[in-house]
Amino acid sequence: MHTIGMAVMSADGCLTRHAEAGTGFASEADQRLFRETLGRCDCVVMGGAAFRAARARIVERLDEARLRVVLTRRPEDHRDDARPGRLEFRADAPAAVLRDLAVRGFQRCAVVGGARTLTDALGHGLLDELWLTVEPVLFGTGARLVDGAVEFPLDLQGVERLGADTVLLRYRPARRPRR
Amino acid sequence: MHTIGMAVMSADGCLTRHAEAGTGFASEADQRLFRETLGRCDCVVMGGAAFRAARARIVERLDEARLRVVLTRRPEDHRDDARPGRLEFRADAPAAVLRDLAVRGFQRCAVVGGARTLTDALGHGLLDELWLTVEPVLFGTGARLVDGAVEFPLDLQGVERLGADTVLLRYRPARRPRR
């Protein structure tokens, strides 16, 4: 399974505008990239906070072509939303969920946050790519991409202007030894 | 006076590797850009922490062609290092120091951090450009570019690959209204 981590951030690395949930600051260009990329994936993994921020839209647009897996400590709280093969809630560690999706035969997975999910996936070497959209704004405070003090080296695969002021940095987690 | 803010950060927006002072993680390509850019400036403004992290090198390489201004709450502690016109220590607010440098006739200034200095300069509209070098690594924790919860919109002026895995994002603080 080919797995792509995706996030949108301010130019100073804030994934949220201060303490606001969601990514309301994302440009049209980033939202288009996000939709198109998800459209080419057969599964999507997200944290509970990301799900709650976008729940109405996600539940309304469930699609047989794509499984959504939401990582949450309390899957039982979401029993009414769950649709096997389309929207599943799991309490397992992110790495275990990704390995299970590969075993089930999924081919292309997007991991769209949050920090705990991305950190666990990166730490277990389970991301093939990391795509970071950089929006033209500074927030100073906000959620971080990864949890805790880590050192994950990356290889730069590409740099693209997505829109007039928006940049996409495409990385691959590096196999080189950590410094 | 044309003023450029400069910083080097991890891909997740950390200006330091965790709590380590200094920018030891900066690539050769970034260090070269930094030296070349300072070589084209007639003054450089930096915070006390940045000065302390690089003191030996700075004091050794003082240059008549360039004034260094260090912002510190206790200029008197640095009396032995001070050299009028070459290395000055000031307790004034960053914006006041920048305005004073312009009055003194300096033409091109680099503001190389830290966060308090950059935030004050940005908040007063005193940066003409903001250059962010993005290194291919994730740290999770570290110093932020700016202090506190802000919203400074930017215009993207250019994107360059400085080296194989290092990107330079060149912004201009935007004149458009804040959202």
Side-chain angles (χ1 to χ4, degrees):
Chain A
M1 186 170 75
H2 189 86
T3 304
I4 303 172
M6 296 183 81
V8 56
M9 51 173 61
S10 64
D12 60 333
C14 298
L15 271 78
T16 58
R17 183 185 176 282
H18 316 146
E20 282 174 18
T23 55
F25 65 91
S27 60
E28 284 283 331
D30 174 70
Q31 294 175 46
R32 190 164 51 239
L33 173 82
F34 188 79
R35 282 194 305 270
E36 289 172 1
T37 307
L38 263 52
R40 288 192 297 273
C41 289
D42 55 9
C43 59
V44 179
V45 173
M46 54 171 47
F51 173 72
R52 283 187 293 275
R55 179 185 168 279
R57 206 163 18 125
I58 291 170
V59 169
E60 182 181 286
R61 296 192 196 165
L62 285 179
D63 182 341
E64 290 199 10
R66 192 161 28 264
L67 168 63
R68 297 242 180 194
V69 181
V70 178
L71 305 178
T72 167
R73 279 188 213 113
R74 303 175 58 87
E76 62 276 15
D77 289 357
H78 299 279
R79 205 172 296 146
D80 292 348
D81 281 338
R83 301 283 179 277
R86 292 167 75 178
L87 179 58
E88 300 179 2
F89 296 85
R90 301 275 300 268
D92 314 70
V97 168
L98 288 170
R99 290 200 186 97
D100 179 56
L101 290 169
V103 168
R104 287 167 71 181
F106 288 95
Q107 298 292 310
R108 200 173 164 86
C109 180
V111 177
V112 299
R116 196 177 74 90
T117 306
L118 285 166
T119 308
D120 197 54
L122 283 161
H124 286 85
L126 293 173
L127 288 193
D128 298 289
E129 299 183 60
L130 179 63
W131 292 11
L132 301 178
T133 298
V134 183
E135 298 290 4
V137 65
L138 304 174
F139 288 144
T141 66
R144 293 272 199 186
L145 180 70
V146 290
D147 263 349
V150 299
E151 183 156 357
F152 294 135
L154 305 170
D155 291 330
L156 182 66
Q157 298 294 298
V159 187
E160 289 163 50
R161 281 176 96 128
L162 284 187
D165 295 294
T166 298
V167 175
L168 173 65
L169 303 173
R170 286 191 300 106
Y171 291 103
R172 188 179 290 271
R175 306 299 175 205
R176 67 176 177 270
R178 300 186 190 175
R179 280 174 293 189
Chain B
M1 186 172 73
H2 189 85
T3 303
I4 304 172
M6 297 186 79
V8 54
M9 51 172 60
S10 65
D12 59 332
C14 298
L15 271 78
T16 59
R17 181 184 177 282
H18 316 147
E20 282 173 19
T23 56
F25 64 92
S27 60
E28 283 284 331
D30 174 69
Q31 293 175 47
R32 192 165 47 240
L33 173 80
F34 188 78
R35 281 193 306 269
E36 288 172 2
T37 306
L38 262 53
R40 287 193 297 273
C41 289
D42 55 8
C43 59
V44 179
V45 173
M46 53 171 48
F51 173 73
R52 283 186 293 276
R55 179 185 169 279
R57 207 164 14 127
I58 291 169
V59 169
E60 183 180 287
R61 297 193 196 163
L62 285 179
D63 182 343
E64 291 199 10
R66 193 160 28 262
L67 168 64
R68 297 241 181 196
V69 181
V70 179
L71 305 178
T72 169
R73 278 188 214 112
R74 302 175 58 86
E76 62 277 16
D77 288 357
H78 300 277
R79 205 172 296 147
D80 291 347
D81 281 337
R83 301 284 179 277
R86 293 167 75 177
L87 179 58
E88 301 180 0
F89 296 85
R90 301 276 299 268
D92 316 70
V97 168
L98 288 171
R99 289 200 186 98
D100 179 55
L101 289 169
V103 168
R104 288 167 69 182
F106 289 95
Q107 298 292 311
R108 199 171 164 87
C109 181
V111 177
V112 300
R116 195 175 75 89
T117 306
L118 285 166
T119 309
D120 196 53
L122 283 160
H124 287 85
L126 293 173
L127 288 193
D128 297 289
E129 299 185 59
L130 179 63
W131 293 10
L132 302 177
T133 297
V134 184
E135 298 290 4
V137 65
L138 305 175
F139 288 143
T141 65
R144 295 270 199 186
L145 180 71
V146 291
D147 263 350
V150 299
E151 183 157 358
F152 294 134
L154 305 169
D155 292 330
L156 182 68
Q157 297 295 299
V159 187
E160 290 163 47
R161 282 176 96 128
L162 284 188
D165 296 294
T166 298
V167 176
L168 173 65
L169 303 173
R170 286 191 300 105
Y171 292 103
R172 189 179 288 270
R175 307 296 175 209
R176 65 177 178 270
R178 300 186 188 175
R179 279 174 295 191

